[in-house]
Amino acid sequence: MEIRNSHFLITGANRGIGLALAKEAAKRGAHVHAQVRTLNKTLAEELRAVGAASVKIWQADLGHRE
């Protein structure tokens, strides 16, 4: 599977497995769409620094419908 320039939507991207997946996708040159509950002001910079083609941070609590 070609990852470079693919778009990845990763939930829970600011910690644990979600963060590890976001970093790995970034290292491989993907466009990373990172969903987080709590904004982390440095996450986008960190992902760009390791090679993400682009980064978009989406803040949402997926445990609630609103």
Side-chain angles (χ1 to χ4, degrees):
M1 179 171 140
E2 180 62 32
I3 291 179
R4 181 168 302 286
N5 291 320
S6 294
H7 289 258
F8 281 74
L9 171 61
I10 301 168
T11 61
N14 57 337
R15 64 187 188 99
I17 294 171
L19 178 57
L21 288 170
K23 286 183 177 179
E24 189 59 33
K27 286 178 189 175
R28 296 178 183 219
H31 297 272
V32 178
H33 300 265
Q35 179 276 320
V36 299
R37 252 189 243 172
T38 306
L39 286 177
N40 173 342
K41 295 181 181 186
T42 62
L43 179 60
E45 295 169 17
E46 291 174 28
L47 296 175
R48 284 187 198 102
V50 296
S54 68
V55 178
K56 175 67 178 170
I57 306 294
W58 302 90
Q59 183 182 13
D61 184 347
L62 299 180
H64 300 285
R65 288 184 175 203
E66 323 61 66

